[in-house]
Amino acid sequence: MYTETVMDHFRNPRNVGHMENADGVGQVGNVKCGDIMKIYLKINDEIIEDVKFETFGCGSAIASSSMATELIKGKSIDEAVELSNKAVIEALGGLPPVKVHCSVLAEQAIKSALYDYAQKTNKTIKGLENFNPEDEEEFGCH
Amino acid sequence: MNKKLYLDNAATTKVKKEVIEEMKEYFDVMYGNPSSQLYELGRKSKEAIEKARKEVADFINADEKEIYFTAGGSESDNWAIKGVAFANKNKGNHIITTKIEHHAVLHTCEYLEKFGFETTYLNVDQYGMINLEELKQSIRPETILISVMFANNEIGTIQPIEQIGEIAKEHGIIFHTDAVQALGGVRIDVKKQHIDLLSVSAHKVGGPKGIGAMYIKKGVKIDNFIHGGGQERGKRAGTEGVQNIAGFGKAVELAAKNFDEHNDYLIKLRTKLIEGIKANIPDVVLNGHPTNRLPNNVNFSYKYVEGEAILLLLDMEGIAASSGSACTSGSLDPSHVLLATGLDHGTAHGSIRFTLSDEITEEDIDFVVETMRAIISRLREISPLNK
């Protein structure tokens, strides 16, 4: 059902945990749908120095969170905002069709955390002009 | 590699060795068509079917002539509901069932709604028990069928079948019960329990897949299900799966012989597993009734975590179980049974069902408890909930 990479990131998730004094925090999904992802960012000089995640959800939700955090760690904000769910799926070696929404959640969680950072620092991030985290609150039931 | 622990016996069971032995000769030795009565090979096949029919009849205190073999539990449920509905539509168009039935019942009722039938879906309490007063109040002059499952496949709750049967009898309404999960785990007596129609399946009791039966009380008005030859007294046509029927008969014979010993042992394991989980893992909810449940069923919800993730980690330890989480069903919602008991979506997503067998030992139960403790604690560390 899952690729070896998905199972590896599920069994040994990278960047798990809570972050004190994060510069940006984003949470998407809801309990009703069975998926919640929370992303914490430490940003310095427009670079994502550290990232942590906490996820409630199935195996592919945990693996998608883990892979997404790996893909943006050490990258610039501009690069992170460009991260698509397709890139997460590719890096995982594929997801079953019914699990694609997990990768979408990961993308949205990162955008949500970047949005939070932009709000806190009064910055404008290119690519997030039309992003509304409120829309993402109910995200997940797909 | 760890020992493999199969704890999904409500999904299906391992076919018993004696059953396989019994089935073997009907492939290439006694392969005659049971309808071919003019030579010995055909007569032998027919004898095998009638021997199995008697085993099934005796096990539920029915007459042999009241047992009809089908392709399984889903077919029996379909036949019972559609067959009664269409044969009795001059009397009425109302069916009463429950919110926690198997989909073979629920989707059949939905299908009948297209033909003008109406269904009342009874509620259940937090333990999955129906309310007899609500049942009585739901009865209308046009009610033709009450269908309530004997025991639930997910949470194991056993319904007050005898009382339901009495109520149906008083009102002259046909009573069907889906006993697929109950067979072998609860005493079934169709006479004492006033049952008119009952569905069972072989593969839940150590028999082969693809074979089941329906008990139809003599005199119950029901349409034939498969039209064709005269097999099964013309009600369910098609050349009989003789080897499967013989295997079913053997499985039932064994279940009847070891009934008390088998179930006493399962209850001992069940109690140990329930107590072990409660004592070692915080924030759990037992789904189903604390005592009035199938001997092999243990179903808990583990708060703040999701069922599919638990199943994947259990599989790595060689443990097979199942979950009511939406992620394992391919649907958007978690189990309709858990939601009907009033569980919130989040808690329902975190449910795991273990269904035991007599191949499991008390040491295995200790291993399951310890494995679950570690898995739940690990997933809760990853979860953002309850922090």
Side-chain angles (χ1 to χ4, degrees):
Chain A
M1 179 178 167
Y2 289 133
T3 66
E4 270 180 40
T5 314
V6 172
M7 284 309 289
D8 175 39
H9 277 261
F10 166 62
R11 281 194 292 249
N12 311 298
R14 282 61 148 181
N15 311 309
V16 174
H18 177 82
M19 189 189 286
E20 294 294 333
N21 308 317
D23 297 311
V25 180
Q27 179 171 318
V28 295
N30 62 67
V31 176
K32 189 169 182 287
C33 305
D35 297 293
I36 296 178
M37 281 184 201
K38 192 169 187 180
I39 298 272
Y40 304 86
L41 300 174
K42 186 98 215 147
I43 297 175
N44 209 346
D45 238 359
E46 304 300 291
I47 298 292
I48 295 166
E49 276 196 347
D50 196 13
V51 50
K52 293 274 182 219
F53 84 86
E54 290 175 318
T55 290
F56 161 80
C58 58
S60 57
I62 291 169
S64 295
S65 316
S66 167
M67 183 55 89
T69 56
E70 282 288 273
L71 291 172
I72 62 163
K73 203 173 181 178
K75 299 283 167 63
S76 70
I77 286 175
D78 289 344
E79 285 171 308
V81 85
E82 289 292 315
L83 180 80
S84 70
N85 80 297
K86 285 198 176 64
V88 175
I89 294 177
E90 259 173 45
L92 287 170
L95 278 178
V98 293
K99 302 291 185 184
V100 167
H101 76 272
C102 294
S103 66
V104 178
L105 267 189
E107 176 194 323
Q108 299 299 327
I110 287 168
K111 287 198 165 71
S112 188
L114 289 169
Y115 180 89
D116 180 55
Y117 167 74
Q119 294 288 103
K120 282 177 180 162
T121 54
N122 267 327
K123 285 179 181 160
T124 313
I125 297 178
K126 201 168 154 262
L128 283 184
E129 296 87 351
N130 298 316
F131 186 84
N132 181 0
E134 301 284 314
D135 294 345
E136 313 307 327
E137 290 284 313
E138 290 302 311
F139 210 82
C141 283
H142 280 251
Chain B
M1 197 66 194
N2 286 308
K3 179 181 172 184
K4 293 279 181 197
L5 287 183
Y6 181 74
L7 296 175
D8 203 13
N9 287 279
T12 194
T13 58
K14 182 180 186 174
V15 180
K16 291 198 156 65
K17 283 198 170 55
E18 300 92 320
V19 170
I20 298 171
E21 277 309 309
E22 182 79 17
M23 290 174 72
K24 273 181 182 167
E25 68 171 344
Y26 296 100
F27 287 98
D28 58 352
V29 181
M30 302 292 186
Y31 54 83
N33 188 320
S35 295
S36 305
Q37 287 296 292
L38 294 176
Y39 48 81
E40 197 191 358
L41 269 184
R43 286 193 295 271
K44 288 282 182 199
S45 288
K46 184 77 178 165
E47 274 170 32
I49 293 174
E50 296 316 314
K51 186 176 162 229
R53 200 186 306 280
K54 184 162 174 18
E55 291 291 353
V56 175
D58 287 351
F59 196 35
I60 62 171
N61 194 24
D63 189 271
E64 291 149 60
K65 292 196 179 99
E66 296 172 314
I67 302 297
Y68 298 84
F69 289 110
T70 66
S74 289
E75 183 185 312
S76 297
D77 286 342
N78 268 260
W79 183 8
I81 294 163
K82 290 179 204 167
V84 165
F86 289 124
N88 295 274
K89 64 172 188 279
N90 59 327
K91 289 185 194 153
N93 68 338
H94 182 232
I95 297 167
I96 299 174
T97 185
T98 79
K99 289 185 176 168
I100 62 163
E101 296 299 308
H102 190 274
H103 285 126
V105 168
L106 293 178
H107 290 164
T108 303
C109 290
E110 282 166 27
Y111 167 77
L112 285 175
E113 285 163 17
K114 289 199 289 193
F115 296 88
F117 290 94
E118 289 174 14
T119 317
T120 298
Y121 300 93
L122 299 175
N123 294 301
V124 294
D125 65 13
Q126 60 171 317
Y127 302 124
M129 300 286 284
I130 69 157
N131 180 325
L132 295 173
E133 283 310 310
E134 191 191 351
L135 168 63
K136 285 182 199 164
Q137 282 158 17
S138 303
I139 293 173
R140 307 178 195 165
E142 59 274 19
T143 305
I144 52 173
L145 176 67
I146 295 171
S147 179
V148 176
M149 71 197 323
F150 210 120
N152 185 268
N153 49 315
E154 294 186 32
I155 58 177
T157 303
I158 302 166
Q159 299 297 339
I161 290 299
E162 192 172 338
Q163 285 100 306
I164 299 168
E166 275 169 15
I167 293 168
K169 195 181 168 193
E170 279 166 27
H171 290 82
I173 299 165
I174 297 171
F175 174 39
H176 165 251
T177 184
D178 172 350
V180 168
Q181 210 60 239
L183 190 73
V186 197
R187 288 274 180 209
I188 300 175
D189 182 329
V190 292
K191 292 193 177 74
K192 184 166 173 272
Q193 291 154 344
H194 312 292
I195 296 164
D196 296 312
L197 299 162
L198 174 135
S199 309
V200 288
S201 179
H203 76 101
K204 308 288 190 186
V205 288
K209 295 166 187 69
I211 184 76
M214 180 137 85
Y215 155 77
I216 305 177
K217 187 183 174 182
K218 195 165 173 280
V220 167
K221 206 174 161 199
I222 183 166
D223 275 3
N224 297 342
F225 195 62
I226 294 187
H227 306 277
Q231 294 90 350
E232 299 303 284
R233 300 158 69 86
K235 288 189 184 300
R236 201 278 184 191
T239 298
E240 301 90 335
V242 183
Q243 70 290 340
N244 285 345
I245 292 172
F248 188 9
K250 190 69 184 179
V252 166
E253 182 195 321
L254 295 170
K257 201 182 342 181
N258 305 321
F259 190 91
D260 287 329
E261 192 190 347
H262 171 74
N263 285 305
D264 289 349
Y265 180 65
L266 290 183
I267 289 171
K268 190 163 103 178
L269 291 184
R270 181 189 79 188
T271 307
K272 187 175 167 72
L273 183 51
I274 289 177
E275 295 310 319
I277 287 171
K278 276 186 184 168
N280 288 283
I281 308 175
D283 296 327
V284 297
V285 179
L286 178 69
N287 295 313
H289 197 279
T291 51
N292 193 23
R293 66 190 302 138
L294 288 173
N296 73 349
N297 179 291
V298 175
N299 187 325
F300 274 100
S301 283
Y302 305 84
K303 291 189 174 180
Y304 324 122
V305 294
E306 190 280 328
E308 190 220 63
I310 302 172
L311 291 183
L312 289 169
L313 293 173
L314 280 172
D315 180 51
M316 284 166 50
E317 301 297 329
I319 300 172
S322 79
S323 168
S325 161
C327 297
T328 60
S329 69
S331 87
L332 297 182
D333 284 318
S335 146
H336 67 286
V337 175
L338 296 176
L339 294 182
T341 64
L343 227 55
D344 62 89
H345 276 69
T347 310
H349 282 301
S351 78
I352 295 291
R353 178 189 71 183
F354 293 114
T355 40
L356 313 166
S357 78
D358 45 20
E359 292 195 1
I360 302 299
T361 66
E362 293 197 49
E363 290 72 45
D364 294 335
I365 298 292
D366 290 332
F367 175 69
V368 172
V369 171
E370 177 47 31
T371 306
M372 280 300 283
R373 192 198 56 71
I375 287 174
I376 301 303
S377 141
R378 181 170 163 188
L379 289 174
R380 280 180 181 165
E381 272 173 36
I382 302 176
S383 173
L385 301 178
N386 194 35
K387 283 179 181 165

